[in-house]
């Protein structure tokens, strides 16, 4: 048994990462993990509300051919090329899904399955064909490696050293995500809840859909370096799903999403230190653990709360019971 | 360009012909909804065919017809939720894309996800979004209007209730309150009476009368023939085509209802007959 579970040493697992020698790299990794999970989680909330979680899956995969083609055309690993490639791939995926869904009898879930596997396969072929020419690590694209984030030269702006380039980029994307949600809160809310009403208010639901998909592509590609194409899906869905178990108000859910991001990032680092495993995977495991915890301990509708209610035979606080005269 | 649409100093639409003086358009305010030769098809099968309709102002119009007659599709076409195969739609004399904001909409209750994380007040405030600019949050005045609207449908005590915890009738009232908060001039309601209790049904009828009395025009998809006779001023009998449109007492006749509900075969053969006549 002891061969499988590494020895747990509180000093090594919880304190060592935050001591002088390791502090800086731990802090950058934690920040990156937080930024990635927060940005993905916030955008992911809208995917969950629109019942489009699978579309997030699709776009995170089809971004691969997008950046592969961007590499081939621009012959550089510049962030701009990557973003343009990812955006194009996101739009192409969305269009393909819509076209298959509307022009054939194939339903949307099948259309998603067709679109992203095809594009992903093209990406795999491109990467393996031109692996020598483009400096693109397939492993890294698929799984990412957040532990490498603090390595290499830091970005500086106007003489001030800001931090590792991927963290700076992610910080900009995360801030922009928060800003976009704040600016277009009404449009996103109405077009997600009731497209018919959105139309009568002059909001173009189709435009909102494509804009959301484009921004999703941007978030996904900037999260790639840290968590890769596969684990990013967890970051899209888990924070929002966890938050929605705890609250039923959208603004509160948004806040809890950010809290979930911070917790799963820090706890993930400690789990990875303990098990000496991939940090990104450990963060996802902690994100799922928090989901499980919310399921059990949610103050509104958790398993524990339900059990207690039954156990104490307290009169059920079913809100529909107290209906006034008019219904 | 021969004719040019512009606005005069007072904000009303005018038309300028051959660069002459601008003349006001006469049709606008008195005709809330005008549809010409509208055809809508799903996967090449027509659902609505050659619809011509001109709805006068201040009327309570019931849209009646059998299942699959295209009642909901007609509303969706006006709302721009389905694309038109042919024809045009004008709202208050303007192309429907520009004046759609004067339209209030009550969709079928099942068309939205009632587990959505919003409460009753949030939903009603959505009706005010058309009056708000980008970034702008609902003001105190908007909240007052939302509260008044909730009061009118007797749902004010539920303002902070999660929408998932409402009964069917209460959900329908929330939708009505939202439509009220929109302060529109033309309303479309898709089966507002479906699956609601008797008290809610009465409340909805009272509300529709009140809106009509304030000069609003309402088009309501309705399923129940016996009540349709009492509820509406005018009836639109629809079965893929307009079978009849007129004051209820003139349209609610055995023959016309028979033509509407008597199955599609009759309608199709009439159409075939008409086509043959046109060809010769």
């Amino acid at each position: 048994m002891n061969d499988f579970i590494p020895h747990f040493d509180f000093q090594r697992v919880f304190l060592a990462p935050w001591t002088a020698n390791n502090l800086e790299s731990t802090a950058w990794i934690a920040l990156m993990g937080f930024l990635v999970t927060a940005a993905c989680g916030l955008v992911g909330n809208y995917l969950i509300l629109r019942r489009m979680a699978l579309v997030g899956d699709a776009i995170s995969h089809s971004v691969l051919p997008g950046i592969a083609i961007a590499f081939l055309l621009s012959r550089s690993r510049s962030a701009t090329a990557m973003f343009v490639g990812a955006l194009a791939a996101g739009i192409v995926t969305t269009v393909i899904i819509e076209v298959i869904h509307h022009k054939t009898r194939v339903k949307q879930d099948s259309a998603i399955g067709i679109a992203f596997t095809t594009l992903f396969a093209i990406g795999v072929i491109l990467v393996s064909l031109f692996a020598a020419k483009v400096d693109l690590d397939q492993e890294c694209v698929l799984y990412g490696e957040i532990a490498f984030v603090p390595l290499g030269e830091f970005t500086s702006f106007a003489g001030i050293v800001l931090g590792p380039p991927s963290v700076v980029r992610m910080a900009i994307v995360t801030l922009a995500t928060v800003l976009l949600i704040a600016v277009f809160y009404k449009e996103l809310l109405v077009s997600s809840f009731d497209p018919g009403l959105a139309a009568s208010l002059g909001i173009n639901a189709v435009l909102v859909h494509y804009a959301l998909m484009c921004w999703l592509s941007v978030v996904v590609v900037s999260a790639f370096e840290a968590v890769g194409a596969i684990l990013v899906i967890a970051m899209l869905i888990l924070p929002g799903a966890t938050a929605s178990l705890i609250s039923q108000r959208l603004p509160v859910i948004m806040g809890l999403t950010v809290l979930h991001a911070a917790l799963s990032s820090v706890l993930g680092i400690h789990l990875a230190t303990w098990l000496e495993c991939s940090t990104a995977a450990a963060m996802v495991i902690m994100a799922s653990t928090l989901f499980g915890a919310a399921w059990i301990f949610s103050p509104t509708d958790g398993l524990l709360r339900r059990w207690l209610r039954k156990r104490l035979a307290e009169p059920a606080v079913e809100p529909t019971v107290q209906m006034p005269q008019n219904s | 360009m021969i004719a040019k649409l512009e606005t005069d100093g007072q904000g009303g639409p005018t038309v300028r012909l051959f660069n002459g003086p601008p003349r006001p358009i006469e049709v606008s305010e008195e005709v809330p909804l005008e549809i010409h030769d509208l055809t809508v098809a799903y996967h090449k099968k027509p659902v609505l065919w050659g619809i011509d309709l001109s709805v006068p102002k201040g009327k309570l119009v019931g849209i009646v017809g059998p299942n699959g007659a295209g009642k909901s599709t007609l509303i969706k076409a006006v709302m721009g939720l389905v694309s038109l195969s042919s024809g045009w739609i004008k709202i208050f004399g303007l192309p429907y894309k520009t004046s759609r904001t004067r339209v209030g909409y009550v969709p079928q209750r099942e068309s939205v996800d009632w587990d959505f994380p919003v409460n009753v007040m949030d939903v009603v405030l959505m009706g005010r979004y058309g009056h708000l600019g980008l970034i702008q949050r609902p003001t105190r005045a908007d909240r007052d209007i939302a509260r008044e609207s909730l009061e009118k449908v007797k749902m004010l005590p539920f303002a902070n209730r999660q929408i998932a915890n409402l009964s069917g009738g209460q959900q329908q009232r929330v939708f009505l309150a939202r439509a009220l908060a929109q302060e529109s001039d033309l309303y479309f309601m898709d089966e507002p009476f479906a699956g609601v209790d008797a008290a809610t049904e009465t409340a909805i009828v009272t509300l529709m009368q009140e809106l009509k009395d304030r000069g609003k025009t309402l088009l309501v998809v309705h399923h129940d023939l016996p009540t349709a006779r009492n509820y509406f001023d005018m009836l639109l009998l629809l079965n893929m085509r307009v079978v009849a449109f007129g004051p209820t007492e003139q349209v609610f006749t055995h023959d016309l209802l028979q033509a509407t509900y008597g199955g599609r075969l009759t309608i199709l053969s009439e159409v075939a007959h008409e086509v043959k006549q046109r060809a010769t």
Side-chain angles (χ1 to χ4, degrees), chain B residues 179-213:
Chain B
L180 286 178
Q182 275 187 274
E183 296 188 325
S184 312
D185 300 310
L186 173 63
Y187 284 99
F188 291 95
M189 304 188 176
D190 202 346
E191 305 217 11
F193 301 110
V196 303
D197 49 285
T200 300
E201 180 148 349
T202 320
I204 297 173
V205 174
T206 317
L207 197 73
M208 292 194 308
Q209 285 293 342
E210 205 185 306
L211 285 170
K212 190 196 87 175
D213 293 342

Side-chain angles (χ1 to χ4, degrees), chain B residues 99-214:
Chain B
S99 51
R100 205 182 280 146
T101 43
R102 292 184 65 182
V103 178
Y105 178 51
V106 179
Q108 282 190 23
R109 201 152 42 82
E110 313 87 76
S111 71
V112 307
D113 172 14
W114 289 96
D115 280 330
F116 209 83
V118 286
N119 66 21
V120 168
M121 192 63 179
D122 293 333
V123 174
V124 179
L125 278 174
M126 284 180 199
R128 299 300 304 161
Y129 284 6
H131 302 260
L132 300 173
L134 206 64
I135 316 180
Q136 202 188 341
R137 288 172 48 78
T139 60
R140 185 182 287 267
D142 292 315
R143 289 184 171 277
D144 287 343
I145 291 168
R147 243 178 247 120
E148 274 167 39
S149 309
L150 277 171
E151 181 63 56
K152 277 200 183 123
V153 296
K154 300 200 179 85
M155 284 294 287
L156 193 55
F158 297 83
N160 294 319
R161 172 77 56 91
Q162 206 58 39
I163 57 165
N165 302 330
L166 297 174
S167 71
Q170 292 170 332
Q171 291 175 345
Q172 195 64 60
R173 289 174 192 216
V174 171
F175 265 177
L176 279 168
R178 189 182 70 180
L180 286 178
Q182 275 187 274
E183 296 188 325
S184 312
D185 300 310
L186 173 63
Y187 284 99
F188 291 95
M189 304 188 176
D190 202 346
E191 305 217 11
F193 301 110
V196 303
D197 49 285
T200 300
E201 180 148 349
T202 320
I204 297 173
V205 174
T206 317
L207 197 73
M208 292 194 308
Q209 285 293 342
E210 205 185 306
L211 285 170
K212 190 196 87 175
D213 293 342
R214 292 195 346 230

Side-chain angles (χ1 to χ4, degrees), chain A residues 81-299:
Chain A
M82 272 175 66
F83 277 124
V84 172
L87 259 180
I91 295 166
V92 167
T93 316
T94 315
V95 170
I96 292 177
I97 293 171
E98 296 290 312
V99 167
I100 294 179
H101 174 44
H102 288 293
K103 300 286 172 194
T104 71
R105 273 201 301 269
V106 175
K107 298 277 180 286
Q108 200 192 15
D109 49 350
S110 310
I112 293 169
I114 294 165
F116 90 83
T117 46
T118 308
L119 288 167
F120 186 67
I122 294 173
V124 171
I125 290 174
L126 285 175
V127 172
S128 53
L129 269 184
F130 301 103
K133 285 187 198 154
V134 290
D135 181 22
L136 185 63
D137 183 0
Q138 205 169 329
E139 288 276 298
C140 184
V141 171
L142 289 186
Y143 305 111
E145 190 42 83
I146 201 168
F148 294 163
V149 160
L151 308 178
E153 209 168 313
F154 279 20
T155 306
S156 46
F157 180 76
I160 306 159
V161 180
L162 293 172
S166 56
V167 178
V168 173
R169 218 179 302 133
M170 198 66 227
I172 295 169
V173 169
T174 309
L175 280 178
T177 306
V178 173
L179 209 65
L180 283 170
I181 289 176
V183 171
F184 296 108
Y185 185 80
K186 296 195 297 278
E187 286 75 8
L188 282 165
L189 184 67
V190 178
S191 63
S192 304
F193 178 62
D194 189 346
L197 178 73
S200 84
L201 297 173
I203 297 168
N204 188 336
V206 176
L207 189 69
V208 174
H209 176 68
Y210 276 93
L212 185 63
M213 292 302 110
C214 285
W215 193 250
L216 175 65
S217 315
V218 169
V219 170
V220 163
V221 76
S222 44
F224 256 20
E225 217 163 321
V227 293
I230 295 174
L231 294 182
V232 76
I233 303 155
M235 303 313 197
L236 285 170
I237 306 307
L238 277 169
T242 307
S244 66
L245 286 183
I246 297 173
S247 172
Q248 283 186 300
R249 295 298 310 278
L250 191 53
V252 182
I253 288 178
M254 291 293 182
L256 288 171
T257 300
V258 175
L259 179 68
H260 175 277
L263 281 176
S264 51
S265 167
V266 172
L267 293 174
I269 287 176
H270 292 302
L271 182 67
T273 317
W274 176 32
L275 300 179
E276 289 168 17
C277 66
S278 152
T279 312
M283 284 177 179
V284 172
I285 291 297
M286 288 325 293
S288 329
T289 308
L290 288 172
F291 173 77
W295 190 1
I296 296 168
F297 298 109
S298 164

Side-chain angles (χ1 to χ4, degrees), chain B:
Chain B
M1 189 189 285
I2 300 168
K4 197 175 157 199
L5 200 67
E6 28 185 69
T7 53
D8 58 16
Q10 283 81 49
T14 56
V15 68
R16 193 193 284 266
L17 293 170
F18 299 111
N19 288 329
R23 296 175 198 179
I25 298 176
E26 285 155 25
V27 287
S28 62
E29 282 309 310
E30 290 312 307
V31 186
L33 177 67
E34 194 183 359
I35 298 177
H36 178 69
D37 193 29
L38 171 75
T39 297
V40 176
Y42 288 134
H43 296 291
K44 311 222 161 152
K45 266 192 216 150
V47 184
L48 291 172
W49 196 356
I51 304 287
D52 280 302
L53 196 64
S54 179
V55 178
K57 196 184 168 190
K59 296 289 181 199
L60 183 46
V61 182
I63 305 177
V64 176
N67 283 330
K71 304 187 294 287
S72 294
T73 307
L74 179 63
I75 289 187
K76 283 184 182 156
V78 180
M79 301 310 300
L81 295 171
V82 294
S83 48
L84 318 183
S85 304
S86 76
W88 50 255
I89 298 168
K90 279 185 179 174
I91 291 169
F92 294 105
L94 291 170
Y96 73 132
K97 275 182 183 152
T98 50
S99 51
R100 205 182 280 146
T101 43
R102 292 184 65 182
V103 178
Y105 178 51
V106 179
Q108 282 190 23
R109 201 152 42 82
E110 313 87 76
S111 71
V112 307
D113 172 14
W114 289 96
D115 280 330
F116 209 83
V118 286
N119 66 21
V120 168
M121 192 63 179
D122 293 333
V123 174
V124 179
L125 278 174
M126 284 180 199
R128 299 300 304 161
Y129 284 6
H131 302 260
L132 300 173
L134 206 64
I135 316 180
Q136 202 188 341
R137 288 172 48 78
T139 60
R140 185 182 287 267
D142 292 315
R143 289 184 171 277
D144 287 343
I145 291 168
R147 243 178 247 120
E148 274 167 39
S149 309
L150 277 171
E151 181 63 56
K152 277 200 183 123
V153 296
K154 300 200 179 85
M155 284 294 287
L156 193 55
F158 297 83
N160 294 319
R161 172 77 56 91
Q162 206 58 39
I163 57 165
N165 302 330
L166 297 174
S167 71
Q170 292 170 332
Q171 291 175 345
Q172 195 64 60
R173 289 174 192 216
V174 171
F175 265 177
L176 279 168
R178 189 182 70 180
L180 286 178
Q182 275 187 274
E183 296 188 325
S184 312
D185 300 310
L186 173 63
Y187 284 99
F188 291 95
M189 304 188 176
D190 202 346
E191 305 217 11
F193 301 110
V196 303
D197 49 285
T200 300
E201 180 148 349
T202 320
I204 297 173
V205 174
T206 317
L207 197 73
M208 292 194 308
Q209 285 293 342
E210 205 185 306
L211 285 170
K212 190 196 87 175
D213 293 342
R214 292 195 346 230
K216 317 279 188 187
T217 310
L218 293 91
L219 280 90
V220 181
V221 172
H222 192 52
H223 239 123
D224 186 44
L225 271 182
T227 50
R229 189 177 199 170
N230 303 323
Y231 289 169
F232 303 108
D233 310 331
M234 295 182 84
L235 283 181
L236 169 63
L237 304 184
L238 191 72
N239 191 345
M240 208 198 288
R241 319 185 78 219
V242 175
V243 178
F245 175 58
T248 306
E249 61 273 18
Q250 287 175 27
V251 172
F252 202 89
T253 63
H254 179 78
D255 289 350
L256 286 173
L257 292 173
Q258 181 74 39
T260 315
Y261 285 86
R264 285 173 169 217
L265 275 176
T266 28
I267 300 292
L268 281 177
S269 56
E270 274 173 29
V271 171
H273 181 68
E274 209 171 282
V275 169
K276 230 185 258 172
Q277 272 193 328
R278 272 188 209 171
T280 52

